[in-house]
Amino acid sequence: MRNASVVTKFILLGIPHTEGLENMLFVLFLSFYIFTLMGNLLILLAIISSTRLHTPMYFFLCQLSVCDIFFPSVSSPKMLFYLSGNSRVISYAGCVSQLFFYHFLGCTECFLYTVMAYDRFVAICYPLRYMVIMNHRVCAILAMGTSFFGGIQATFLTTLTFQLPYCGVNDVDYYFCDIPVMLKLACADTSALEMVGFISVGLMPLSCFLLILTSYSCIVCSILQIRSPEGRRRAFSTCSAHLTAILLSFMPVVLIYLQPTPNPWLNATVQVLNNLVTPMLNPLIYSLRNKEVKYSLRKVLQQVAFFPEK
């Protein structure tokens, strides 16, 4: 039997099988985190400073950059803190907050990718009505909707996880508090909750993916009807960045939450890539093949480099 004492704090054991690599991992993850913050801040500055980029597509890209700034910030600061030799202890409330905000931002991004796919669908399939359909009011409603439904999903998953009693063992065999590792520490039968969580975590991304697939099926049909090779190339170029970002975002969810037999080391590796590498790559994905963003970024960097001193 487990000790009946109620757990008030947890100990994060870190990424499995990485003992003795703390210094190397600290430098590596700190570099990823800094580049993620800098890249997404530059995208935000580039879009905000250029009136040419004040369109629905870039409005949603701004929201994605904000999510990509906060998403790695849920787990990275604490991970870097203990990798530098400090305490691995996290309070019960801190653990709840980590799980909630991780799923809130993750679900918000998932809904946001769906909205961005719809935006591309309207832009390519109904170009003459694009600004009428995607007006400021619609964009604001869609943006708020992604956060609202992300909050509902995160609240449900967090409540599901922490309604269980936690007593005795408080060693979290992971680098942050997430559903699979927390359920292992519960002092109750979790089989029914694991099934509900599995369905919930799987159903939401699957629904979003099917909606994205529908949007892009219509987009491909419309692009194939464009007679100009240059027109087809530009349309495909616009969508390729979004599709790349979608694959980088959705694949980790499938590997982590929907595998029949969880592998702690594989889960940690994939989740680190999802938490740090994907948000770092998104600014590159959306800027490298976009002349307008590159031009605006160049102007921002020139202003930063050559800003006259007062």
Side-chain angles (χ1 to χ4, degrees), residues 150-221:
I152 289 176
Q153 176 78 350
T155 301
F156 172 71
L157 293 173
T158 306
T159 305
L160 194 72
T161 305
F162 287 98
Q163 71 171 342
L164 296 166
Y166 290 90
C167 48
V169 179
N170 65 344
D171 293 337
V172 179
D173 192 17
Y174 213 46
Y175 69 97
F176 78 105
C177 300
D178 198 13
I179 296 170
V181 288
M182 296 310 298
L183 291 180
K184 290 179 182 177
L185 301 179
C187 307
D189 180 25
T190 62
S191 53
L193 292 177
E194 283 175 9
M195 182 57 66
V196 173
F198 179 86
I199 293 169
S200 178
V201 172
L203 190 61
M204 187 273 295
L206 179 63
S207 303
C208 290
F209 185 75
L210 289 174
L211 289 171
I212 291 168
L213 193 64
T214 303
S215 294
Y216 272 97
S217 299
C218 297
I219 287 169
V220 169
C221 292

Side-chain angles (χ1 to χ4, degrees), residues 72-275:
S73 300
V74 171
S75 57
S76 298
K78 181 61 182 177
M79 178 174 64
L80 293 169
F81 182 74
Y82 67 69
L83 284 175
S84 62
N86 293 292
S87 173
R88 293 174 178 266
V89 174
I90 184 171
S91 67
Y92 186 93
C95 200
V96 173
S97 298
Q98 268 198 345
L99 194 145
F100 173 80
F101 283 108
Y102 178 79
H103 286 279
F104 167 64
L105 292 163
C107 293
T108 299
E109 279 204 17
C110 190
F111 292 128
L112 187 56
Y113 282 124
T114 310
V115 168
M116 292 172 78
Y118 174 72
D119 172 72
R120 292 299 82 210
F121 160 73
V122 176
I124 292 172
C125 298
Y126 302 98
L128 299 178
R129 297 175 56 200
Y130 176 60
M131 294 308 296
V132 176
I133 296 172
M134 298 299 292
N135 57 58
H136 293 304
R137 182 171 174 272
V138 169
C139 289
I141 290 170
L142 289 172
M144 287 189 293
T146 60
S147 298
F148 176 74
F149 288 109
I152 289 176
Q153 176 78 350
T155 301
F156 172 71
L157 293 173
T158 306
T159 305
L160 194 72
T161 305
F162 287 98
Q163 71 171 342
L164 296 166
Y166 290 90
C167 48
V169 179
N170 65 344
D171 293 337
V172 179
D173 192 17
Y174 213 46
Y175 69 97
F176 78 105
C177 300
D178 198 13
I179 296 170
V181 288
M182 296 310 298
L183 291 180
K184 290 179 182 177
L185 301 179
C187 307
D189 180 25
T190 62
S191 53
L193 292 177
E194 283 175 9
M195 182 57 66
V196 173
F198 179 86
I199 293 169
S200 178
V201 172
L203 190 61
M204 187 273 295
L206 179 63
S207 303
C208 290
F209 185 75
L210 289 174
L211 289 171
I212 291 168
L213 193 64
T214 303
S215 294
Y216 272 97
S217 299
C218 297
I219 287 169
V220 169
C221 292
S222 293
I223 290 174
L224 293 175
Q225 292 174 10
I226 299 173
R227 294 183 180 181
S228 163
E230 177 64 18
R232 283 199 297 269
R233 188 195 66 78
R234 286 185 64 187
F236 273 121
S237 178
T238 304
C239 297
S240 61
H242 186 224
L243 283 171
T244 305
I246 287 169
L247 289 174
L248 286 172
S249 179
F250 277 76
M251 287 307 295
V253 175
V254 174
L255 289 171
I256 295 166
Y257 296 104
L258 303 183
Q259 56 179 308
T261 308
N263 182 321
W265 187 85
L266 175 65
N267 286 0
T269 304
V270 172
Q271 207 146 28
V272 165
L273 292 174
N274 187 43
N275 290 7

